Amino acid sequence: MSPNTSSAAALKRAHAACAARGLAFTPIRQRVLQLLLEHEKGLKAYDLLALIKAEQPGATPPTVYRALDFLTEHHLAHKIERNATFVACTQAGHATPSLFLVCPQCGAVTELQDKSVMQALCRSLAAAGHRLDDPEVEIAAICPDCRAS
Amino acid sequence: MSPNTSSAAALKRAHAACAARGLAFTPIRQRVLQLLLEHEKGLKAYDLLALIKAEQPGATPPTVYRALDFLTEHHLAHKIERNATFVACTQAGHATPSLFLVCPQCGAVTELQDKSVMQALCRSLAAAGHRLDDPEVEIAAICPDCRAS
DNA sequence: GACATGGATGTGATGTTATAACATCGCGCT
DNA sequence: AGCGCGATGTTATAACATCACATCCATGTC
């Protein structure tokens, strides 16, 4: 499957998800998601803004932040807090909580699903009286490519 | 043990650790650590700056960022990426990797040590070809106080 | 058709977080 | 004294994010 194909498929899924939930998947929102899908390592808000501006000169920070708010709110994209970057969500429905492995060298983000780890985590939290809130956990981990070098 | 006492003890430990490693624990660095110790929920860099400025009017952003860099580099404080806040390290030597539970409601930070969770995490990462880099993992979890309300 | 409503977007300014770049100080060393 | 070097001072700016208010436009209602 070429990157292009999977990106198109993801966009289609997003379309369907919005339709099903009565959400307005407007051109700006689509375009932002598409750009995120095309950039596997994620994009910073202002890089995204620059890309959008090339097509739509009137774009300003709120233009992209609003789209990003929409996408993250509806789980079509994630914000990597560590780097202030945004990535498209690659897991279809990502019903289960995700681990995000962020490579501190190159910035690559890998979305990992590991039920047993998450369970262990939740048990540990519960023992401390806490309750997991945001099921998106970021972890700094050297990626295989950077490990090699 | 009163907060004051433990804060003083932590400062003393930091002093000793710096002496042992030949690091300059300068007045600014001490003061910043002390302020972090006095504010359990952590401080933002610019709030810290305001506090420092009250005592030392010439202080500027680099003044505090340098002190914070020093403290985090030498594991005397941690940066909570999620909130861009800084907290003093409360674990004596924190030889083992830590989980930081960050309450998204109130911002409280709890440092948790759970070997088994970390092991599970490392196993999972290794299976994906990654290697844990920064042993400080942040997790959003509602704290007991906020859970109650 | 007129018109209210509410979400989406446009627009300009501002707030917040962090670093760059270069000067200076002060201390230990020879 | 003169040097080297880490810490600090100082000015400016980069990078990330939000506020506030105006406007547009699709939809429902009378």
Side-chain angles (χ1 to χ4, degrees), chain B residues 41-93:
Chain B
K41 292 200 177 174
L43 284 170
K44 306 221 165 212
Y46 277 66
D47 293 343
L48 202 43
L49 175 56
L51 294 171
I52 294 283
K53 248 183 173 156
E55 309 167 352
Q56 192 174 334
T60 60
T63 309
V64 301
Y65 279 105
R66 284 165 180 160
L68 290 169
D69 284 348
F70 172 87
L71 295 172
T72 53
E73 190 174 335
H74 299 294
H75 304 293
L76 298 169
H78 304 289
K79 176 176 183 182
I80 306 299
E81 303 281 348
R82 195 165 204 89
N83 295 338
T85 62
F86 296 85
V87 298
C89 175
T90 55
Q91 314 283 329

Side-chain angles (χ1 to χ4, degrees), chain A residues 20-79:
Chain A
R21 300 159 75 181
L23 302 172
F25 197 37
T26 64
I28 294 176
R29 293 167 179 177
Q30 291 178 42
R31 190 67 187 116
V32 167
L33 180 56
Q34 192 173 12
L35 287 169
L36 291 182
L37 285 164
E38 288 168 4
H39 292 77
E40 242 186 73
K41 291 200 176 174
L43 284 170
K44 307 221 165 211
Y46 276 65
D47 293 342
L48 203 42
L49 175 56
L51 293 171
I52 295 285
K53 248 182 172 155
E55 310 167 353
Q56 191 174 334
T60 60
T63 308
V64 299
Y65 279 107
R66 283 166 181 154
L68 289 169
D69 285 349
F70 173 86
L71 295 173
T72 54
E73 191 174 336
H74 298 297
H75 305 294
L76 299 170
H78 305 290
K79 178 177 183 182

